[in-house]
Amino acid sequence: VQLQASGGGLVQAGGSLRLSCVASGNIFVVNDMAWYRQTPGKERELVAGIDLGGSRNYAASMQGRFTISRDNAKNTVYLQMNSLEPEDTAVYYCNAGLVNKATMHYGEYWGQGTQVTVSS
């Protein structure tokens, strides 16, 4: 099982980016999916999460600017980021809680991270 994130890049302040993350492998079901971000010297922080039923939660500073969504048929989670600010510069990681079909055990998996840089 692996998570592959994509969509990061360099954007000017006020711009938008859309991140994608695909979970692949021997998966029985993907439950919660989420995006985190991390900057050097700081702890990884939750950006947004979405459960299997589509219920969403956001960090306060992202509310209204970021939108998390998912395609359950594709085991994919998206993060639409609008009105980006230089403070949003970070490595963004996707996270998924899923049941591995081979073991039928629930586990938490991380993607490799994708860099988002917002210039002022």
Side-chain angles (χ1 to χ4, degrees), residues 67-83:
T67 302
I68 189 169
S69 61
R70 64 188 287 172
D71 184 333
N72 291 333
K74 297 180 179 179
N75 288 335
T76 300
V77 63
Y78 306 96
L79 185 68
Q80 177 67 43
M81 305 185 292
N82 299 328
S83 302

Side-chain angles (χ1 to χ4, degrees), residues 4-28:
Q4 181 69 42
S6 61
L10 173 64
V11 64
Q12 289 188 334
S16 299
L17 282 175
R18 187 189 193 216
L19 306 183
S20 300
C21 177
V22 180
S24 62
N26 206 5
I27 297 170
F28 180 72

Side-chain angles (χ1 to χ4, degrees), residues 51-68:
D51 67 16
L52 185 58
S55 295
R56 301 168 172 85
N57 64 286
Y58 297 92
S61 62
M62 289 68 153
Q63 187 83 40
R65 299 190 299 124
F66 293 5
T67 302
I68 189 169

Side-chain angles (χ1 to χ4, degrees), residues 3-6 8 19-22 33-40 42-49 68 77-79 81 88-96 108-116:
L3 272 61
Q4 181 69 42
S6 61
L19 306 183
S20 300
C21 177
V22 180
M33 305 187 84
W35 288 96
Y36 287 74
R37 70 185 186 185
Q38 189 171 24
T39 55
K42 294 188 177 181
E43 291 188 357
R44 194 170 296 186
E45 63 172 349
L46 176 69
V47 174
I68 189 169
V77 63
Y78 306 96
L79 185 68
M81 305 185 292
D88 295 316
T89 296
V91 178
Y92 285 71
Y93 297 90
C94 58
N95 170 275
E108 189 175 3
Y109 295 80
W110 291 90
Q112 84 284 10
T114 184
Q115 177 70 46
V116 171

Side-chain angles (χ1 to χ4, degrees), residues 95-118:
N95 170 275
L98 60 87
V99 178
N100 187 313
K101 188 183 290 186
T103 64
M104 294 305 287
H105 288 166
Y106 180 88
E108 189 175 3
Y109 295 80
W110 291 90
Q112 84 284 10
T114 184
Q115 177 70 46
V116 171
T117 303
V118 184

